[in-house]
Amino acid sequence: MLRVETTLKYATLGLAAIVLVALAIAPFSKSLIEQWSRYDVEERSRLVYNSIHGPVVRAMADRAWDRLGSIFEGVAQDERILAVGLCDEAGTLVSPSKLMPRTFSCEKVARSEGESFSSIVNDGRKVLVGSFPIVDRAQKAYLVVLHDLSFIDARSGEAQTFLVATLAGVVITVAGAASIVAVLTFRGWMRSLQQAVADIRFGGARVTERRELTPIDMQIQALLREIDVGKVPFETAQIDWSPRTLQDLLHNALPGAEVLIVSNREPYIHNYSDHSHSGATITLQTPASGVVSALEPVMRACGGTWIAHGSGDADRETVDARDTIAVPPDAPSYTLRRVWISEEEQDGYYYGLANEGLWPLCHIAFVRPVFRETDWRAYEAINRRFADAVAAEARSEDPIVLVQDYHFALAPRMIREKLPKATIITFWHIPWPNAETFGICPWKERIIEGLLGSTILGFHTQFHCNNFFETVDRFVESRIDREHAAVTLAAHETMVRAYPISIEWPPKALVGQPSIETCRAEVRHKLGLPADVAIGVGVERFDYTKGILDRMKAVDGLLTLDPSWKGRFVFVQVAAPTRSKLPSYKMLQSEAVALADEINARHGDATYMPIRLIVCHHEPAEVLRLFRAADLCIVSSLHDGMNLVAKEFIASRDDERGVLVLSSFTGASRELSEALIVNPYDTHAMANALDAALRMPVDEQCERMRLMRQQVRERNVYRWAGRMLIDAARSRQRQRILDIAERSDRHPAKIH
Ligand code: F6P
C-alpha cells in the first residue's frame, strides 16, 4: 500500500511541476519566438544584400536603373520579402520592386556607416526594414530590404499551440504512466497479501521466489505475527499450563470472546436422595465422565456457559426460569444451562443412535452397531435443540463454541447456520474408525457434513485424524489438504488436529486427601484386607470397551501362573453402572459378576476373595483415595480414545509409587510409555505383566512414575484446551485477513 501511495505522490508532484513550468514559460515564449524570427529575418536580409551587392554596384555604375529594378523584382519573388529598393544619398527611392509599401520613405532609413534595421507598419502589419550601405566611387546609396513580419505572429501562435499541446501530451503521458505503475504496484500488494494468506493457509508451500521485503510485506508480516499467538512458547518452550495460563491466553489472544460448551453429560447432577421425592433431600453428583473431568476445570478457569442435558431427577428444581444455575455450587464461576430431553427422545438420541449405533461403530470391541431410523430422527432433533440453545445463550455473534463428542455430530453445522461467525471447536472423545468400518453407518455422509461445520475438529491421536481424512475422502465430495490437515466442504474449511486430552494438575479431588499411609489403611479397613496384601485397582464405567472381563481373566491367569499370589494379591474393580438399559451393557454386567464369582471360587476361600467387584458410582475424591491405596492400577481397554483413568492414577501418586498396567489400545499409551503396556486380548501376557508389576522394585516404580507424572503435569488439560484456543485464535485472525482481502478485492481503496 505504501508503494502505491508513493507512486501516486511522485506522479502528482511531477505533474504540478510541469504545469508550473508551463505557466512560467508561456509569457516568454512569444517574445522569444519574435526574437528568434527577427534574427532569422535579419540574417536573410544580409544574405540578400551579400548576394546582390555586386550586380547592384555594377548597375549603379552603369546607371542602369531598369536592370537594377529587375534585380530587385527577382529578389522580391521570395515570399517573405515584401520589397527591395535603393535609397540614394538624397533620400530618393530608386528602382523599388512592385510591392514597396507606400508608407515607406527613404527619409526614415537610418543614415549610418553600417547596416541597420528598423520597423514600419504597412496595412496594419509589421515590416522590418533592413538598410545596407553600398558605396560605388563617389556614389553612396542604401539597399533596403523589407520583410513582412506578420508571419512571426502566426509562428508564435503556432508555437504556443504546439507548446500547450506538448504539455498536455506530457501531462497525459505522465498521468497514464503513474496510473499504470500504481495499478501494477497495487497488484503487487494484492499478490503480497494473497501470498501472505496462502502462507498461512498452506504453510508457505507455494512461495516460489525470495524477494526483498517491501513495506507492504512488513505490514502483512506484522499481521501474521499477531496470528502466531503463543506459537513459539507453545511449540518450543516449557509452559506451565495452569488455569492462569488459560485465562491469560483467552484474555490476550481472544479478548472478549465468549465461551460456550455443548455436551450431553452435565458437570453437576441434582438427584433426590429417595425416588419417591416426598420429603427427600437433593444430593449433588459429579458424573463418571471423561468429558466432565476434562472440561470442568477448563470452565472453572474460563467462565462461560455449559449447555448440557439435565439428567438428574431434581435438576428442574434447582434451575432458574431460564433453566440455568451457577456452578460449581460451592464457588460459582460459570453457568450451567440445562436442556430437557424426554425419556422417549433419550431412548432414540442417547441410548439408540449414540450408544447402540456410534459407540460400537467407533470402538473395536466386536459389538455390532444397531442403526434405527427412529433413533436417527431423535438424534437430529436433539442436535437441533442444542444448536438452538447455543444461539439463545450466545451474547455475541462470534462466540467460541466447544462441541463435545459423538452425541453431537450434527450440531456443528446447525450452529454454523445460526451463528456463521462462531468459532466452533468440536472434539470427538472416542476413536474414529477406518473408512471401511465407518461406511456401514447409513447416515455417514450426514455425520461427516455435520462435523465439517466446525472450525476445528479434534481427535486424541493423529491416527484417528488420518482415519477421518480417509473416511471423508471415501464418502464426501470435498477438498482434503492432508499437508495442512484441513478439509474444505462447500467453501468452508475445517482444520483437523490431534489434541491429546488430559486431566487438571493437580486434580481438585487431591486437595485435602489423607496421606498415602492413611489411604491404604482406610481402604484395607473398608475391604477387610490385611496389611501385607497387595492391591490392584480398576475404576471405570461398566462398559464393554474397557476390557473389564479381560483384566479379570488376567488376574485368574496370574493366580494360575503363580499360585503364591493367592492370599497376597487382591484386585478391586469399581464399575459405575452406565447405559444399563442397553442389552450389551446388561450382559456385560452379568458376565462380569459371573466371572468374578468363578475366579473367586477357583482361587479364593472363606477368608480370601481375589476379585472384589464393586458396582456403584464413586465420587472423584473416593476414587483418588482408592488409587492412593493401590500397588497397581489396570487400564485394559479394548479400544479407548484416550483414557483419563490412567492419568488420574498417576496424578494421585504423589509418593511416586505404584505401577500402571496399560492397554496398548488406549490413546494414553502413546504418552505414558513408562507404564507396563499390554495387549488385553493376550491374557497370558497380561498375567505376566501383573506379576512383573507386583514384583517391581520400588526404585523402578519411582523412576517410571516420576517420568509419567512429569508428562501428565506438563501435558495437562489446560494445555489441551490452550492448544485448541490458540488454534481458534489463529483461525479467527486468519479469517480477519481473508475478510480484509475479500473486501479489498471489491473496494481496493478501503485497504489502509
Ligand atoms: O469416552 C468418551 C465419553 O464421552 C466419556 O467422556 C464419557 O465418560 C463417556 O464417553 C460417556 O459416558 P456417558 O454415556 O455415561 O455420558
Side-chain angles (χ1 to χ4, degrees):
M1 194 62 202
L2 280 182
R3 201 193 280 174
V4 178
E5 281 173 359
T6 311
T7 309
L8 288 174
K9 192 168 82 190
Y10 286 131
T12 313
L13 282 175
L15 286 176
I18 290 168
V19 171
L20 279 177
V21 169
L23 289 174
I25 286 175
F28 297 110
S29 66
K30 197 167 177 234
S31 69
L32 205 65
I33 286 166
E34 279 174 5
Q35 276 178 25
W36 285 344
S37 304
R38 191 183 162 121
Y39 174 77
D40 180 36
V41 171
E42 286 176 3
E43 278 299 302
R44 288 168 64 89
S45 302
R46 274 186 204 104
L47 199 65
V48 170
Y49 163 71
N50 289 331
S51 56
I52 62 171
H53 178 264
V56 169
V57 169
R58 278 193 297 279
M60 278 172 63
D62 299 344
R63 292 197 166 265
W65 307 120
D66 290 344
R67 190 164 18 121
L68 198 59
S70 41
I71 292 170
F72 290 161
E73 210 59 62
V75 173
Q77 293 303 308
D78 187 296
E79 62 171 334
R80 295 263 177 86
I81 295 173
L82 183 62
V84 184
L86 194 73
C87 290
D88 65 14
E89 252 183 323
T92 309
L93 181 62
V94 179
S95 304
S97 60
K98 265 189 256 146
L99 295 179
M100 181 64 76
R102 269 176 276 116
T103 50
F104 175 76
S105 146
C106 286
E107 293 300 314
K108 293 183 183 161
V109 174
R111 307 274 189 274
S112 63
E113 288 303 309
E115 63 179 34
S116 69
F117 292 93
S118 59
S119 311
I120 61 167
V121 176
N122 176 47
D123 288 344
R125 301 159 87 175
K126 244 191 196 168
V127 174
L128 180 76
V129 180
S131 137
F132 302 90
I134 291 183
V135 182
D136 172 46
R137 284 179 242 142
Q139 298 184 74
K140 187 173 184 185
Y142 292 89
L143 175 72
V144 288
V145 182
L146 281 72
H147 272 88
D148 185 352
L149 292 185
S150 63
F151 80 95
I152 293 180
D153 287 340
R155 183 185 276 183
S156 72
E158 275 170 20
Q160 271 183 328
T161 309
F162 177 74
L163 185 67
V164 169
T166 308
L167 285 175
V170 170
V171 167
I172 289 166
T173 310
V174 170
S179 309
I180 289 166
V181 171
V183 167
L184 290 177
T185 310
F186 179 72
R187 280 194 189 153
W189 189 87
M190 284 308 294
R191 265 200 301 279
S192 299
L193 185 61
Q194 282 158 0
Q195 177 74 46
V197 172
D199 284 356
I200 313 165
R201 302 178 80 183
F202 308 111
R206 298 185 186 174
V207 177
T208 49
E209 62 188 44
R210 287 210 149 271
R211 55 193 160 72
E212 259 182 54
L213 287 187
T214 64
I216 298 161
D217 294 330
M218 288 191 267
Q219 283 183 17
I220 291 170
Q221 288 197 354
L223 265 177
L224 296 182
R225 272 196 295 279
E226 276 185 57
I227 289 174
D228 281 345
V229 188
K231 186 176 178 185
V232 172
F234 165 65
E235 270 156 15
T236 60
Q238 294 294 326
I239 276 199
D240 242 353
W241 284 98
S242 65
R244 185 57 201 267
T245 327
L246 210 54
Q247 283 157 358
D248 287 352
L249 177 68
L250 266 178
H251 183 75
N252 295 324
L254 295 156
E258 185 190 2
V259 177
L260 294 156
I261 287 186
V262 175
S263 79
N264 173 68
R265 193 59 67 194
E266 58 182 338
Y268 296 97
I269 305 175
H270 288 97
N271 281 319
Y272 286 112
S273 53
D274 153 3
H275 286 299
S276 71
H277 301 187
S278 54
T281 52
I282 291 177
T283 59
L284 188 69
Q285 185 192 331
T286 312
S289 156
V291 170
V292 169
S293 53
L295 284 166
E296 213 277 331
V298 172
M299 276 308 259
R300 270 190 271 126
C302 302
T305 303
W306 187 326
I307 302 169
H309 169 213
S311 58
D313 54 14
D315 272 355
R316 285 181 194 262
E317 306 310 315
T318 47
V319 291
D320 60 17
R322 298 186 58 242
D323 296 328
T324 63
I325 175 174
V327 287
D330 50 341
S333 54
Y334 65 93
T335 302
L336 170 60
R337 157 78 199 275
R338 285 174 172 149
V339 173
W340 313 115
I341 298 176
S342 72
E343 221 171 290
E344 196 189 343
E345 288 169 332
Q346 182 74 343
D347 283 347
Y349 143 77
Y350 173 78
Y351 288 109
L353 201 280
N355 288 316
E356 279 193 293
L358 295 179
W359 182 269
L361 178 73
C362 293
H363 288 92
I364 306 171
F366 306 99
V367 171
R368 183 192 162 112
V370 179
F371 295 111
R372 300 180 200 91
E373 184 66 32
T374 46
D375 293 348
W376 173 251
R377 281 203 291 276
Y379 186 83
E380 264 187 314
I382 299 302
N383 271 250
R384 191 162 302 287
R385 188 170 304 164
F386 274 78
D388 290 346
V390 169
E393 291 300 322
R395 281 174 284 103
S396 57
E397 58 169 8
D398 61 347
I400 295 178
V401 188
L402 303 169
V403 179
Q404 304 304 311
D405 230 347
Y406 60 101
H407 308 93
F408 295 111
L410 304 180
R413 183 155 298 281
M414 293 170 174
I415 296 169
R416 169 83 49 222
E417 279 159 14
K418 288 172 181 299
L419 295 167
K421 293 192 171 171
T423 302
I424 304 171
I425 307 175
T426 303
F427 196 81
W428 193 261
H429 288 259
I430 62 177
W432 188 275
N434 62 37
E436 203 172 4
T437 304
F438 197 79
I440 67 175
C441 174
W443 305 285
K444 50 189 173 289
E445 296 91 354
R446 292 286 313 281
I447 288 176
I448 295 167
E449 285 162 9
L451 288 171
L452 291 178
S454 315
T455 313
I456 298 172
L457 175 58
F459 295 95
H460 291 300
T461 66
Q462 189 55 47
F463 187 76
H464 296 145
C465 294
N466 296 347
N467 276 353
F468 181 76
F469 283 128
E470 269 173 37
T471 311
V472 175
D473 203 9
R474 180 88 66 96
F475 300 114
V476 174
E477 199 68 44
S478 60
R479 189 166 67 81
I480 299 176
D481 181 349
R482 281 175 196 262
E483 195 184 344
H484 301 100
V487 180
T488 304
L489 177 66
H492 174 75
E493 188 184 77
T494 302
M495 291 191 265
V496 180
R497 299 274 193 282
Y499 304 100
I501 203 169
S502 195
I503 57 167
E504 66 178 321
W505 189 280
K508 187 170 93 171
L510 202 57
V511 178
Q513 281 281 343
S515 68
I516 294 282
E517 287 67 34
T518 310
C519 290
R520 288 176 78 92
E522 269 184 20
V523 167
R524 277 159 205 283
H525 175 71
K526 216 165 158 188
L527 297 173
L529 298 175
D532 60 346
V533 169
I535 300 177
V537 297
V539 179
E540 44 261 301
R541 289 179 307 104
F542 220 146
D543 196 295
Y544 54 79
T545 60
K546 301 296 178 186
I548 293 171
L549 299 180
D550 304 85
R551 76 186 64 158
M552 286 184 184
K553 287 177 191 161
V555 171
D556 184 22
L558 171 75
L559 299 179
T560 310
L561 191 77
D562 184 352
S564 73
W565 285 113
K566 286 184 187 175
R568 293 197 298 133
F569 173 64
V570 166
F571 177 63
V572 181
Q573 175 66 56
V574 170
T578 180
R579 309 169 191 171
S580 311
K581 258 189 175 185
L582 300 180
S584 47
Y585 286 80
K586 271 192 206 139
M587 203 197 312
L588 170 71
Q589 288 200 26
S590 46
E591 273 184 45
V593 171
L595 183 61
D597 288 346
E598 189 189 314
I599 295 169
N600 285 339
R602 184 153 47 243
H603 301 289
D605 55 30
T607 57
Y608 174 62
M609 236 183 19
I611 293 186
R612 304 290 178 89
L613 179 59
I614 305 168
V615 184
C616 76
H617 172 80
H618 281 51
E619 283 298 310
E622 295 173 83
V623 172
L624 284 200
R625 214 163 304 151
L626 188 58
F627 284 153
R628 285 162 73 76
D631 295 281
L632 63 90
C633 172
I634 310 178
V635 174
S636 55
S637 308
L638 303 179
H639 202 190
D640 218 331
M642 175 53 69
N643 193 290
L644 295 184
V645 168
K647 295 187 175 182
E648 279 161 1
F649 172 67
I650 289 164
S652 76
R653 298 315 296 255
D654 46 14
D655 63 338
E656 296 179 344
R657 303 278 171 83
V659 181
L660 176 64
V661 178
L662 180 61
S663 161
S664 60
F665 306 126
T666 59
S669 68
R670 320 263 159 137
E671 294 178 79
L672 304 173
S673 44
E674 289 75 26
L676 296 186
I677 306 293
V678 293
N679 172 358
Y681 290 92
D682 186 343
T683 309
H684 181 72
M686 197 154 47
N688 277 327
L690 292 181
D691 185 64
L694 288 168
R695 294 178 194 281
M696 189 180 285
V698 169
D699 285 358
E700 188 181 340
Q701 289 182 34
C702 286
E703 280 290 301
R704 289 173 182 264
M705 188 55 85
R706 193 172 298 144
L707 287 169
M708 290 193 288
R709 283 175 66 78
Q710 186 185 338
Q711 174 83 5
V712 180
R713 180 174 51 240
E714 284 168 4
R715 296 173 153 240
N716 58 32
V717 77
Y718 303 110
R719 178 181 182 272
W720 172 74
R723 286 186 60 207
M724 289 194 286
L725 292 179
I726 286 170
D727 285 344
R730 284 180 186 155
S731 156
R732 280 159 96 96
Q733 295 193 16
R734 184 182 298 124
Q735 191 54 49
R736 218 181 68 203
I737 293 183
L738 291 173
D739 288 347
I740 293 172
E742 199 179 295
R743 273 203 304 276
S744 67
D745 251 344
R746 278 181 263 130
H747 309 289
K750 283 192 179 168
I751 294 189
H752 295 297

